[in-house]
Amino acid sequence: MTHYFFTVMPLFVVFFWLILFLLDIKKNGVAKRFLTLFLGVALVNYLAHWFYFNNNYSVYRLLDSVWVFTSLAVYPLYYYYIRLLTVDLKLDWKWGWILVPAILLSFFSAVLYLLMSPAELDVFTHEVLYHNREYRAGYPLLVRLQAMRLVLFKVIFAMEVLLTLYFGLRLIRLFNEKVHAFYSNVENREISKIRTLLFFLVLTALISLVSNLVGKHFFSDHPSLLALPSLAHSMALFGISYVGYRQHFSIRDLCKDQQDGECCCSVESESEAMTGMEYDLLFSKLETLFEENQIFKNPELRLNDVAQELGTNRTYLSRLIRHRRDTTFCDFVNDYRVRYAEAVLSSPEHFRLTIDEVAFNSGFSGSSSFYRAFVKKNGIPPGKFRKQV
């Protein structure tokens, strides 16, 4: 009974989240709809897992090639989901090439299965896949080719995991830089729950790599140890689904706010040096806006708003802040907010104000963003700062 529970648990987790995503399919954006496809592929994958670990030999032989495809498709699909959150405004079918390894190896496996005789199928199933019979030397050619396919699968899978992790992290980092360069309030605009998302992405990668290096037959031979990958995969799938379900902000929203879909996705030129009286005057006006007009008190202040006040464009303004203060627009604004909060916290006149009220009066959208920015600048929380002055 325990063995059955752990074989079905990841399947149940995926099925649960897939239903939730499908119920909102019409309301979901392109990224969430694509994540729904990812969960559908994962569902088929874990269904094949279930037949394998419950020793349903005849059915698993039919699903083995499908399992190869779904296993080699999930990480490329997840990478493209990240692209839809951070880079691509719409689906680009040219990216279908990332599924080529999955298609080719699953097709190779299917052809071998069709060519194998009943005796070869029996040898491959019991001596190579399940290892529940003594190993014999001198396997027939088709059995050896299937065994080679298993090795190829592990190599390709490991490469996909590493590439997805590297390029996925890079896309997320670049997207968050764009968000910090445009918004003063990045709460719920960075990739939602970014640390959680990355943790589960890394966790899934490590578990999958270890599982494939060890081999599925190891867990079939040691059913009590099946609880470890089952729990880990279930937690990872739940985390990825939960984060994806609550992720509402994407590159489409950023481009909409900037009112220039092409510009927000392009790389700014660094050819213009920030020198000359024109830029000195522009920076002086910028400081006046923040120090005298205190526009940082607007919690939803955006780069476009400041650029409009200065009569310039956001590209010049963003570059001006980066070159003169070596920081992003978000950190630039928050620096003024924290300085204002420090003055309020140090003033006996405002002693009765709560920390939340200080945060709101300083321009922060919430106490959590205020706390992070204050600790980042001062190394201590605002409550402790108040007690020390």
Side-chain angles (χ1 to χ4, degrees):
M1 184 64 182
T2 304
H3 172 79
Y4 179 85
F5 173 77
F6 284 119
T7 58
V8 80
M9 186 164 59
L11 189 62
F12 174 79
V13 171
V14 175
F15 182 73
F16 168 78
W17 281 107
L18 183 60
I19 294 298
L20 288 183
F21 275 84
L22 288 173
L23 288 174
D24 288 336
I25 193 71
K26 292 183 179 180
K27 301 178 184 178
N28 291 338
V30 62
K32 276 192 178 179
R33 289 198 293 270
F34 196 82
L35 188 58
T36 306
L37 172 64
F38 166 85
L39 290 173
V41 171
L43 182 70
V44 176
N45 183 265
Y46 283 99
L47 180 64
H49 266 283
W50 185 84
F51 281 108
Y52 177 89
F53 288 113
N54 285 280
N55 299 323
N56 196 321
Y57 305 133
S58 57
V59 175
Y60 183 74
R61 279 198 292 260
L62 295 174
L63 292 177
D64 190 17
S65 300
V66 177
W67 176 83
V68 171
F69 172 78
T70 54
S71 295
L72 293 182
V74 288
Y75 277 91
L77 289 176
Y78 196 75
Y79 167 74
Y80 196 67
Y81 163 68
I82 296 175
R83 284 193 64 88
L84 289 171
L85 285 178
T86 59
V87 178
D88 294 344
L89 297 174
K90 60 182 180 179
L91 281 172
D92 186 352
W93 297 108
K94 293 178 182 178
W95 277 91
W97 65 265
I98 61 179
L99 295 177
V100 168
I103 294 170
L104 291 179
L105 197 63
S106 61
F107 179 76
F108 178 65
S109 173
V111 170
L112 291 178
Y113 269 115
L114 289 174
L115 295 175
M116 292 168 77
S117 66
E120 290 170 326
L121 286 172
D122 182 73
V123 169
F124 175 68
T125 301
H126 293 284
E127 299 182 20
V128 179
L129 276 180
Y130 281 88
H131 292 256
N132 53 13
R133 278 205 319 237
E134 188 178 349
Y135 175 84
R136 293 183 300 125
Y139 284 133
L141 175 62
L142 294 178
V143 175
R144 282 186 278 122
L145 288 175
Q146 282 284 30
M148 181 185 71
R149 183 262 298 178
L150 295 176
V151 175
L152 280 174
F153 172 86
K154 294 176 182 179
V155 173
I156 295 172
F157 186 83
M159 292 177 62
E160 285 185 345
V161 168
L162 294 174
L163 290 172
T164 299
L165 191 60
Y166 173 77
F167 287 106
L169 290 173
R170 184 171 178 271
L171 289 176
I172 291 169
R173 177 179 58 80
L174 293 174
F175 177 76
N176 286 340
E177 287 178 1
K178 292 177 184 177
V179 170
H180 278 258
F182 184 75
Y183 298 99
S184 66
N185 172 25
V186 299
E187 199 80 18
N188 299 320
R189 290 193 173 104
E190 290 179 293
I191 298 295
S192 180
K193 305 290 183 183
I194 184 65
R195 288 184 176 84
T196 306
L197 175 64
L198 295 180
F199 170 77
F200 283 115
L201 182 61
V202 172
L203 178 63
T204 307
L206 292 175
I207 293 165
S208 300
L209 280 170
V210 172
S211 298
N212 282 285
L213 288 173
V214 172
K216 289 189 297 182
H217 67 272
F218 175 82
F219 299 102
S220 183
D221 296 339
H222 305 84
S224 60
L225 296 180
L226 185 61
L228 297 176
S230 177
L231 285 169
H233 275 270
S234 298
M235 290 172 59
L237 287 165
F238 189 92
I240 288 171
S241 302
Y242 176 80
V243 169
Y245 190 76
R246 294 177 60 87
Q247 178 64 43
H248 302 294
F249 192 83
S250 70
I251 187 66
R252 293 166 66 89
D253 301 290
L254 176 59
C255 289
K256 182 180 178 181
D257 287 343
Q258 291 181 325
Q259 297 179 344
D260 188 352
E262 293 181 2
C263 228
C264 77
C265 300
S266 62
V267 179
E268 293 180 2
S269 171
E270 297 290 344
S271 58
E272 296 188 42
M274 298 304 299
T275 57
M277 292 182 60
E278 180 181 354
Y279 292 110
D280 291 335
L281 180 61
L282 186 63
F283 191 74
S284 178
K285 289 181 179 179
L286 176 65
E287 288 183 316
T288 299
L289 276 177
F290 278 83
E291 293 172 3
E292 297 181 13
N293 298 1
Q294 296 185 337
I295 63 171
F296 58 82
K297 289 186 177 181
N298 175 8
E300 293 301 327
L301 186 68
R302 299 176 180 180
L303 190 67
N304 278 357
D305 303 326
V306 182
Q308 188 175 2
E309 289 282 347
L310 294 173
T312 185
N313 62 62
R314 68 171 184 268
T315 301
Y316 284 134
L317 179 57
S318 179
R319 192 179 300 141
L320 176 69
I321 293 171
R322 189 167 65 249
H323 281 263
R324 292 298 174 92
R325 287 285 184 88
D326 191 26
T327 189
T328 64
F329 175 69
C330 176
D331 289 339
F332 178 81
V333 178
N334 281 343
D335 182 63
Y336 279 95
R337 289 171 175 167
V338 171
R339 275 194 267 169
Y340 182 84
E342 290 170 355
V344 172
L345 291 170
S346 303
S347 172
E349 299 176 7
H350 301 99
F351 186 75
R352 293 186 179 275
L353 290 178
T354 65
I355 297 299
D356 286 348
E357 288 173 328
V358 173
F360 180 77
N361 292 340
S362 302
F364 288 96
S365 60
S367 56
S368 59
S369 56
F370 172 50
Y371 182 90
R372 286 194 299 270
F374 197 93
V375 172
K376 181 179 180 180
K377 183 175 185 292
N378 294 287
I380 57 173
K384 189 174 182 180
F385 178 88
R386 171 179 266 175
K387 291 178 181 178
Q388 290 181 355
V389 295

